[in-house]
């Protein structure tokens, strides 16, 4: 069975170079940018990103002519990974699948705040990513609702906002964040 295609998947594929050496550099730049943005926010140094990736600044600019291009590519790549994760957990029981995907979404939100804040909500890339995220994760909630294990009076957007709000809070450590998320998800689960 093949994984479903989402608009963000097409965006990611169209931006990634085809030559192996260029694709390797591109992937290294995305990974370095992801780490730099998580550590230093949207103002992370492009020179530092290139250094972390083991490439010259010219290679960075060849792949990402503007800082915004880099933000968009990191964001799209991460949303694409979330979409793939939805397909990976889909075979689990309905509640477990939903929680497993939401755990990945929470981890994504913690590290992507700087990149997300740098994007315009009306941009084509943001809209494609949002639509893809809903298309990937929404069916997991619907399936859990049909199975009677998740509240029927909520929408997928409600759930994403709840998790995003939780991840926006400062925690002592990841264990505390996970505990608070589990408490919140208890409110989503129907009583047994």
């Amino acid at each position: 069975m093949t994984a479903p295609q989402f608009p963000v998947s097409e965006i990611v594929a169209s931006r990634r170079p085809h030559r192996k050496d260029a694709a390797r550099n591109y992937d290294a730049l995305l990974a370095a940018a992801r780490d730099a943005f998580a550590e230093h926010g949207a103002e992370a140094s492009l020179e530092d990103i290139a250094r972390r990736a083991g490439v010259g600044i010219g290679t960075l600019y060849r792949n990402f002519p503007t800082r915004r291009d880099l933000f968009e590519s990191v964001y799209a790549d991460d949303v694409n990974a979330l979409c793939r994760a939805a397909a990976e957990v889909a075979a689990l029981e309905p509640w477990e699948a939903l929680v497993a995907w939401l755990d990945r979404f929470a981890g994504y939100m913690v590290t992507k705040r700087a990149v997300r804040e740098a994007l315009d909500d009306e941009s084509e890339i943001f809209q494609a990513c949002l639509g893809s995220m809903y298309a990937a994760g929404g069916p997991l909630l619907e399936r859990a609702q049909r199975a009677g294990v998740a509240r029927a009076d909520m929408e997928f957007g409600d759930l994403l906002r709840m998790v995003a709000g939780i991840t926006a809070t400062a925690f002592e450590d990841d264990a505390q964040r996970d505990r608070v998320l589990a408490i919140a998800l208890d409110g989503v689960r129907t009583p047994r």
Side-chain angles (χ1 to χ4, degrees):
M1 183 169 122
T2 60
Q5 279 296 101
F6 300 101
V8 69
S9 302
E10 295 169 14
I11 291 169
V12 168
S14 72
R15 290 182 175 208
R16 193 166 189 276
H18 296 292
R19 274 189 13 241
K20 286 187 184 201
D21 60 332
R24 232 182 349 265
N25 288 342
Y26 182 88
D27 293 341
L29 284 163
L30 284 181
R34 187 176 292 114
D35 292 343
F37 293 146
E39 289 174 29
H40 304 291
E43 297 306 314
S45 162
L46 296 181
E47 289 80 9
D48 179 52
I49 292 170
R51 183 188 52 72
R52 288 177 186 222
V55 301
I57 192 71
T59 300
L60 183 143
Y61 281 116
R62 226 178 351 271
N63 283 283
F64 310 103
T66 68
R67 182 177 286 270
R68 181 176 179 85
D69 291 327
L70 184 56
F71 285 138
E72 287 179 349
S73 294
V74 169
Y75 187 68
D77 193 57
D78 290 343
V79 170
N80 193 44
L82 272 175
C83 291
R84 285 193 316 270
E88 292 166 10
V89 302
L92 298 173
E93 291 297 317
W95 180 253
E96 287 73 23
L98 179 63
V99 170
W101 189 81
L102 287 171
D103 185 54
R104 292 200 191 172
F105 176 75
Y108 152 83
M109 287 300 296
V110 167
T111 60
K112 296 307 160 252
R113 194 150 316 279
V115 173
R116 169 62 195 94
E117 289 172 359
L119 296 177
D120 174 11
D121 286 357
E122 301 304 317
S123 73
E124 181 180 337
I125 189 107
F126 178 77
Q127 292 301 317
C129 287
L130 187 62
S132 296
M133 202 177 314
Y134 272 67
L140 296 173
L141 174 60
E142 292 167 7
R143 183 171 159 240
Q145 288 170 324
R146 281 192 309 274
V149 294
R151 295 171 62 136
D153 65 341
M154 67 181 311
E155 296 176 3
F156 187 64
D158 302 333
L159 189 57
L160 289 186
R161 282 178 181 78
M162 180 186 78
V163 175
I166 290 168
T167 60
T169 303
F171 292 103
E172 294 171 7
D173 54 27
D174 289 346
Q176 185 185 37
R177 184 197 71 218
D178 293 344
R179 212 171 31 256
V180 170
L181 181 59
I183 292 165
L185 290 177
D186 278 347
V188 172
R189 190 170 194 166
T190 55
R192 295 180 212 188

